[in-house]
Amino acid sequence: MITTDKGAFAAVLPDGGRLIGLDVGTKTIGTAFCDAGWSFASPATLIRRTKFQKDKAEIIAMIAKQAVRGIVIGLPLNLDGSDSPRTQSTRAFARNVDDLALPVLLWDERWSTVAVERTLIEQDASRAKRAERIDNMAAAWILQGAIDALAHG
């Protein structure tokens, strides 16, 4: 199941469970995990993109190790809410992981990178540190937004 409907996603996971958040970029995939009670999200490992099957194998290994019950993927919409070429690429990525038999929630990520970048600048992180950490932190930001919405209604 791939959906943008948080209610439909929550309905297939009535007991909660750990989720993986993915920020799918052209060069990297930022990852994050949340606890089973959907309270907090934390950045995890950065996947440097190579071939899709290798990237998918890394995601499968992470899912197995963390006993993940669902996937949240950041959906990069245009500011007006319309699809962009990146949105189409992300939807294709979601279709390609749909065979993992886990529900997939596509979550609006329009401001995630900007918010994370500002946070890192406020922390006085160097440009190199920001580049190294931004994708995983964006994945955590996306996942946190989704679990906040899921847990509170």
Side-chain angles (χ1 to χ4, degrees):
M1 170 188 96
I2 300 172
T3 186
T4 57
D5 181 340
K6 67 180 182 185
F9 183 81
V12 298
L13 295 171
D15 299 324
R18 288 184 63 99
L19 304 176
I20 186 171
L22 303 175
D23 180 27
V24 181
T26 56
K27 296 179 182 177
T28 62
I29 301 171
T31 67
F33 292 100
C34 74
D35 62 301
W38 297 351
S39 299
F40 59 90
S42 301
T45 305
L46 182 68
I47 298 171
R48 303 240 179 248
R49 297 212 52 190
T50 56
K51 294 189 186 288
F52 176 76
Q53 289 304 322
K54 184 174 183 277
D55 301 342
K56 186 176 179 180
E58 284 190 57
I59 292 168
I60 290 169
M62 294 171 80
I63 286 171
K65 183 176 182 181
Q66 296 290 332
V68 166
R69 306 251 338 265
I71 303 170
V72 176
I73 300 175
L75 188 63
L77 299 168
N78 287 322
L79 290 180
D80 65 1
S82 63
D83 282 3
S84 69
R86 285 262 340 254
T87 309
Q88 295 305 318
S89 172
T90 300
R91 288 184 194 279
F93 184 93
R95 287 190 300 274
N96 288 328
V97 297
D98 193 34
D99 64 349
L100 301 180
L102 295 172
V104 176
L105 176 63
L106 297 174
W107 192 255
D108 183 352
E109 70 156 58
R110 277 180 272 193
W111 295 102
S112 63
T113 302
V114 172
V116 169
E117 179 95 32
R118 284 184 185 154
T119 300
L120 289 169
I121 289 170
E122 288 170 7
Q123 294 173 354
D124 204 26
S126 69
R127 190 175 300 270
K129 275 280 189 219
R130 289 196 311 262
E132 175 185 311
R133 297 174 53 202
I134 197 157
D135 293 323
N136 287 340
M137 288 185 69
W141 181 275
I142 292 161
L143 184 54
Q144 188 67 53
I147 61 175
D148 286 348
L150 289 164
H152 302 295

